[in-house]
Amino acid sequence: MGNNQMLCSDPETGEIRRFLNGPIACEVTGLTFSPDNKAMFVGIQHPGEDLAPSHFPDGGNSIPRSSVIVITREDGGIVGA
């Protein structure tokens, strides 16, 4: 599977671009927005299972965990605008 990714598209032009890449062997899931659309929440499930260099789920110095990440714009504007 490699690195799962999230793509976005422009329905008017048909252009497709990569928005984000997840860690090795994860699933990018669970997209939702804050009520003001200034924060986007994305789930990252089971990163690194059965593939190096992750130590998940066996332990190590840095153990990747399933997480929810928050994406905001540097200018504080609406995500996707």
Side-chain angles (χ1 to χ4, degrees):
M1 178 169 59
N3 291 65
N4 205 281
Q5 60 186 314
M6 178 181 288
L7 305 174
C8 58
S9 66
D10 182 332
E12 292 181 19
T13 67
E15 178 184 16
I16 298 173
R17 297 179 69 185
R18 182 176 51 226
F19 183 76
L20 67 84
N21 273 29
I24 293 172
C26 81
E27 284 184 77
V28 176
T29 65
L31 170 67
T32 192
F33 289 87
S34 62
D36 62 4
N37 290 320
K38 292 186 176 182
M40 183 171 115
F41 302 88
V42 180
I44 305 295
Q45 292 184 337
H46 55 78
E49 286 182 356
D50 299 325
L51 295 174
S54 172
H55 299 287
F56 184 82
D58 296 325
N61 293 335
S62 176
I63 303 171
R65 299 279 186 210
S66 295
S67 303
V68 174
I69 60 172
V70 181
I71 298 167
T72 58
R73 287 178 49 140
E74 288 182 355
D75 66 4
I78 293 174
V79 176

